[in-house]
Amino acid sequence: MGMAVSSGKGGGGGRRGGRRRGGKGGGPIAEINVTPMVDVMLVLLIIFMVAAPLMTVGVPVDLPQTKAKEMNAETQPITISVNKDGAIYLQETPIQIDELIPKLQAISKTGYEERIFVRGDMNAGYGTVMQVMAAISAAGYKNIGLVTAQKQDK
């Protein structure tokens, strides 16, 4: 327990002695109020946290459903999609089947051990999906995975 004792001179408690914040006698206050800035930053953080997963939609494909468990992927894999009309997409870029092998060979940074996911629409032709898988194999890739949606229990 302590008590501060101050004389009337220069301490800051009296009317004339010290400068008080926002007083009439002082000049402009050079302090920044950070509370509104923190509030704005938190609101922006929440908006981006909610919006970020919605921006990674990709190619709309109706995947077949299975009871397989999800795979854990450390890095972003290469994704090749085949939609119901038979159009082929490398990531989200439309591509022809004959351009697929050179593009995949050019993409290979870490060798051909990189994982490639094939997303085939449930209504896509079996032959088109098999042509894509054959092209991936011909490009030298060994880790090919078929992507499915998890089956919803009713």
Side-chain angles (χ1 to χ4, degrees):
M1 299 270 268
M3 187 166 96
V5 177
S6 171
S7 66
K9 294 185 177 179
R15 197 160 225 219
R16 297 173 123 194
R19 293 182 58 191
R20 292 177 51 194
R21 233 191 250 182
K24 294 181 181 178
I29 300 173
E31 295 178 4
I32 298 174
N33 189 0
V34 296
T35 305
M37 183 182 71
V38 170
D39 290 343
V40 168
M41 295 306 285
L42 287 174
V43 168
L44 288 174
L45 177 68
I46 291 170
I47 288 171
F48 284 116
M49 286 174 58
V50 170
L54 300 176
M55 294 177 2
T56 58
V57 173
V59 179
V61 174
D62 185 21
L63 296 173
Q65 295 183 354
T66 63
K67 291 191 178 189
K69 295 181 181 174
E70 290 184 26
M71 294 177 59
N72 293 332
E74 302 84 35
T75 60
Q76 181 70 24
I78 299 171
T79 304
I80 299 174
S81 304
V82 180
N83 68 7
K84 64 181 177 181
D85 300 326
I88 301 167
Y89 295 85
L90 178 59
Q91 298 297 75
E92 284 135 16
T93 308
I95 190 169
Q96 297 298 319
I97 189 73
D98 54 342
E99 299 172 1
L100 192 56
I101 294 174
K103 291 265 186 176
L104 287 175
Q105 289 173 338
I107 288 174
S108 177
K109 301 174 201 147
T110 60
Y112 295 105
E113 299 302 317
E114 225 173 319
R115 178 177 286 161
I116 294 186
F117 287 156
V118 177
R119 300 175 66 229
D121 192 284
M122 190 167 30
N123 298 319
Y126 180 76
T128 306
V129 176
M130 290 302 109
Q131 285 178 343
V132 167
M133 291 182 67
I136 295 169
S137 181
Y141 288 88
K142 297 179 180 107
N143 292 333
I144 303 170
L146 294 172
V147 179
T148 61
Q150 285 211 310
K151 194 168 196 170
Q152 302 292 328
D153 292 332
K154 293 181 180 177

